[in-house]
Amino acid sequence: MKLFSRLLVAPAALGLMAPVAVNADTAFSSTTTLSGGAFFTVGSVADGGALDNQEELYMQYAYGLNINSSFTGEDMLTAGIWTGNASGPLSNMDSAETGGGALAIGSLYYAFPVGDLAVTAGPLLDQDDVVAATTSAYSDAFRLGSMPYSLAGSETGPGIGVAYSNDNGVVASASFVSETGASSDIGINADNGDDVTTFTLGYNGDGFGGGLVLATNDGDGPNAGAGTLGYDSFGGGIYYTPESIPATISVAYDTIDPETGSDASDLFIGIDYTVGPGTLSAAYNSTDVDGGSSADSTGFEVSYTYALNDSMKITPGFFTVEDTGTGDDDTGVVVETVFSF
């Protein structure tokens, strides 16, 4: 999932929402907040893929605004607006956004409680916007991430989701998103549309937890022939924070069974460890595609995040991703600066 998406209000935490203070210039109502962030990403990357660039230096940006409005103190209207110029070797960074400088609405949905449930619905909902289960507590703020199939989050469109949690730590959610639902000649849940359904079940305990995710995409839309749509995926993960050390360990395993192409699996292991004024993060993942495909890969990253002040933080880090083709491995040394406001 992208960083800007995670800056949006979590629907599962709906019960914690409350009215906010009035904006000083009265441009917004007393229950509306405007926040955002800017990412400066610079790095020297040796791309061992098709470009085979050797230690070139790149710089890219991402910029986003989040507008949240509450009307009852328990509901929330959320709009996410962002842009960026990501391309090339740095486009796989978790903060990467595209748009060429033109701000665009990337998320737009409304969340409200119904008894013990939190309901989220709107015309621009990501597949991973409504996820109650926590399959990994890894910071996931550099390059590698868990659950690349079940929680890819790439499907966006009209959708609805329901999340549930109780005092015992049990959580669950179900969501439906139609990627082609806004198309005038396709619509929602059409025979020739792309629709993804996601179910999660998990437990969030004191210092440990985990969850399972099941997702399916009917893959009937205009891109189905390309083999990028139409799949069943299933995965799960656990996280643990030992009392003896200031660290959180996460392990996740994800699988996909596409209608076209080979089955694949992904193993992810990540750790966040408090060191001095910041957090040292390290992660490893291994992707295995059935049939000995050249798409098999392994990746490793290590980064250190520390706050310069309340609104700025910097993350230097290193990553390497094995290239199983004819080129060298992809390696990079990257420094990312985040401004939050």
Side-chain angles (χ1 to χ4, degrees), residues 30-46:
S30 61
T31 57
T32 297
T33 61
L34 172 64
S35 61
F39 293 75
F40 294 178
T41 305
V42 60
S44 176
V45 180

Side-chain angles (χ1 to χ4, degrees), residues 26-72:
T26 66
F28 298 101
S29 71
S30 61
T31 57
T32 297
T33 61
L34 172 64
S35 61
F39 293 75
F40 294 178
T41 305
V42 60
S44 176
V45 180
D47 176 13
L51 297 177
D52 204 21
N53 295 327
Q54 296 300 314
E55 299 181 359
E56 302 291 350
L57 184 66
Y58 302 88
M59 187 174 186
Q60 68 187 30
Y61 74 89
Y63 181 83
L65 300 172
N66 299 316
I67 305 173
N68 298 308
S69 298
S70 178
F71 306 98
T72 67

Side-chain angles (χ1 to χ4, degrees), residues 74-102:
E74 296 182 337
D75 63 345
M76 189 68 73
L77 174 66
T78 295
I81 305 171
W82 48 73
T83 189
N85 67 339
S87 64
L90 289 180
S91 61
N92 290 322
M93 298 297 294
D94 200 65
S95 63
E97 296 288 347
T98 60

Side-chain angles (χ1 to χ4, degrees), residues 4-11 14 17 32-33 35 65-71 75-82 105-112 120-125 129:
F4 281 132
S5 298
R6 295 202 301 274
L7 289 175
L8 302 179
V9 174
L14 199 59
M17 295 176 183
T32 297
T33 61
S35 61
L65 300 172
N66 299 316
I67 305 173
N68 298 308
S69 298
S70 178
F71 306 98
D75 63 345
M76 189 68 73
L77 174 66
T78 295
I81 305 171
W82 48 73
I105 298 178
S107 293
L108 184 62
Y109 53 78
Y110 179 63
F112 56 94
T120 304
L124 282 177
L125 190 69
D129 277 336

Side-chain angles (χ1 to χ4, degrees), residues 11 78 106-112 118-130 155-163 174-183 187-189 194-198:
T78 295
S107 293
L108 184 62
Y109 53 78
Y110 179 63
F112 56 94
V119 180
T120 304
L124 282 177
L125 190 69
D126 285 344
Q127 178 247 358
D128 59 353
D129 277 336
V130 182
E155 293 88 352
T156 302
I160 185 170
V162 178
S175 66
F176 173 86
V177 174
S178 178
E179 187 175 8
T180 52
S183 174
I188 298 173
N189 201 30
D194 294 322
D195 310 295
V196 60
T197 304
T198 307

Side-chain angles (χ1 to χ4, degrees), residues 40 68 78 90 103 152 161 190 203 242 259 306 333 341:
F40 294 178
N68 298 308
T78 295
L90 289 180
L103 287 171
Y203 173 77
E259 294 181 3
Y306 60 97
V333 177
F341 52 88

